């Protein structure tokens, strides 16, 4: 049985500065891979540091924007990345936890249908997942 190695990225985030946070996240993703990790976990809403005031500006569709940028980093480093980002869907912003591997992006919108970014599952709650 293969052991799955997780890396937890602690990042000093810059409020409302996705470009800077992406640069930092890319470095952490590369570092995790060099240390032998299979998956790196980024903080919640890592790209904006919870800049909810400008959520609509930061949000993008699941296959564009920051989601696509971190997918590029996952492919370049051949590592899976988990973290939440602001997703724009049907004109609403959601705090979406994304699992991004070297091939594709999968997302589970914690806030979909339950509220704005930051809303979602309570501690100990479970969400359904689909097998791919």
């Amino acid at each position: 049985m293969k052991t799955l190695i997780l890396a937890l990225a602690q990042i000093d985030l810059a409020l409302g500065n996705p470009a800077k946070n992406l640069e930092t996240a890319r470095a952490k993703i590369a570092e995790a891979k060099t240390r032998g990790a299979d998956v790196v976990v980024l903080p919640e809403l890592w790209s904006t540091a919870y800049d909810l005031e400008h959520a609509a500006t930061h949000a993008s569709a699941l296959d564009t924007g920051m989601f696509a940028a971190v997918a590029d980093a996952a492919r370049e480093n051949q590592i899976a990345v988990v973290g939440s980002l602001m997703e724009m869907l049907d004109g609403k912003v959601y705090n979406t936890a994304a699992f991004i591997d070297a091939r594709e992006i999968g997302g589970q919108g914690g806030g979909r249908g339950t509220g704005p970014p930051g809303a979602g599952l309570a501690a100990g709650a479970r969400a359904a997942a689909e097998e791919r």
Side-chain angles (χ1 to χ4, degrees), residues 36-129:
D38 300 301
V39 179
V40 61
V41 181
L42 300 174
E44 184 174 16
L45 295 177
W46 61 268
S47 69
T48 63
Y50 273 88
D51 183 15
L52 301 181
E53 185 176 337
H54 302 103
T57 302
H58 299 305
S60 64
L62 195 60
D63 59 349
T64 65
M66 197 58 67
F67 290 100
V70 78
D72 288 343
R75 273 190 297 278
E76 290 166 11
N77 291 282
Q78 291 297 294
I79 190 171
V81 180
V82 177
S84 78
L85 294 163
M86 293 183 193
E87 178 187 14
M88 181 66 73
L89 179 67
D90 298 329
K92 294 181 182 176
V93 177
Y94 298 98
N95 177 1
T96 299
F99 178 85
I100 302 165
D101 70 10
R103 298 165 303 200
E104 65 182 326
I105 301 172
Q108 175 63 44
R112 285 189 193 170
T114 61
L121 299 174
R126 295 178 186 224

Side-chain angles (χ1 to χ4, degrees), residues 21-46:
N21 294 332
L22 176 60
E23 180 182 324
T24 304
R26 289 179 68 87
K28 293 292 186 179
I29 291 166
E31 178 185 354
K33 183 59 179 184
T34 62
R35 290 177 175 235
D38 300 301
V39 179
V40 61
V41 181
L42 300 174
E44 184 174 16
L45 295 177
W46 61 268

